[in-house]
């Protein structure tokens, strides 16, 4: 894709819609950042490709619906990451509830997600650098490691 990559006002052409749907999961390097583009149940998602926890390869993770959210399960330690916003979910039991019942909780946004748009069958990704530091930045080269040291 390197030769075909185009950047227009931060938009990177990442492929034709039909091609990306067929691939289901596509890997692109944009602005030096490794991005995973996923087509799931009619929607496109883009997120940092290495898990925020310890750099697991998210492209090999299963996708499940968890508490009404579409999540990828990291193959390394099974952390659950929402595709839409990078939130990490975990299940726990609140001992103050009677009877105690397990439910899903959020750790907050841990994985950086990016904006995907489609125009006339062409799909574009615009990288998001907001909010500031997100834990998955650590696995995006030297720049991420420097930013983490400042946080
Ligand atoms: Fe993803 Fe540990 S590296 S859960």
């Amino acid at each position: 894709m390197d030769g075909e990559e185009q950047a227009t006002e931060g938009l990177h052409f990442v492929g034709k819609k039909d091609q990306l749907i067929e691939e289901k999961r596509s890997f692109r390097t944009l602005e030096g950042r490794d991005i995973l583009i996923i087509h799931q149940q009619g929607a496109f998602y883009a997120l940092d490709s290495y898990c925020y926890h310890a750099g697991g390869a998210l492209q090999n993770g299963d996708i499940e619906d968890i508490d009404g959210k579409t999540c990828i399960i990291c193959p390394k330690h099974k952390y659950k990451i929402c595709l839409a916003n990078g939130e990490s979910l975990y299940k726990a039991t609140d001992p103050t509830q009677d009877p105690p019942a397990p439910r899903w909780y959020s750790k907050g946004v841990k994985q950086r997600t990016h904006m995907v748009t489609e125009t006339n069958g062409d799909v574009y990704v615009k990288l998001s650098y907001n909010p500031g530091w997100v834990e998955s930045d650590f696995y995006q080269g030297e720049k991420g490691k420097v930013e983490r040291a400042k946080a």
Side-chain angles (χ1 to χ4, degrees):
M1 179 58 56
D2 292 347
E4 298 174 42
E5 186 181 303
Q6 301 168 8
T8 307
E9 296 175 16
L11 290 180
H12 297 272
F13 173 73
V14 292
K16 303 297 278 185
K17 179 181 178 183
D18 292 347
Q19 169 206 352
L20 295 171
I21 289 173
E22 191 178 319
E23 291 175 0
K24 292 190 176 118
R25 298 171 190 207
S26 309
F27 183 90
R28 301 286 186 270
T29 300
L30 307 175
E31 299 175 28
R33 199 167 190 100
D34 293 336
I35 305 298
L36 180 61
I37 300 153
I38 294 176
H39 185 262
Q40 178 73 16
Q41 294 178 329
F44 281 109
Y45 302 93
L47 67 166
D48 284 357
S49 61
Y50 310 119
C51 175
Y52 76 91
H53 175 230
L58 292 180
Q59 71 262 29
N60 300 323
D62 292 333
I63 294 176
E64 293 178 14
D65 186 85
I66 296 175
D67 207 24
K69 298 171 180 173
T70 304
C71 296
I72 193 158
I73 317 300
C74 178
K76 205 163 179 182
H77 307 106
K78 308 298 180 199
Y79 279 27
K80 286 106 177 108
I81 298 168
C82 298
L83 292 178
N85 63 2
E87 190 181 13
S88 181
L89 301 180
Y90 69 100
K91 199 173 212 176
T93 300
D94 180 352
T96 64
Q97 285 188 327
D98 188 23
R103 74 172 187 87
W104 291 100
Y105 293 88
S106 173
K107 297 178 191 173
V109 173
K110 301 290 187 177
Q111 193 77 19
R112 189 176 293 285
T113 56
H114 306 280
M115 188 182 77
V116 186
T117 54
E118 185 223 324
T119 306
N120 300 325
D122 292 336
V123 180
Y124 298 85
V125 169
K126 182 173 186 176
L127 297 185
S128 166
Y129 292 106
N130 294 315
W133 169 259
V134 174
E135 288 187 35
S136 64
D137 291 345
F138 182 72
Y139 295 99
Q140 294 290 339
E142 287 307 310
K143 184 169 182 277
K145 290 175 184 165
V146 168
E147 292 300 319
R148 184 177 194 192
K150 287 191 224 163

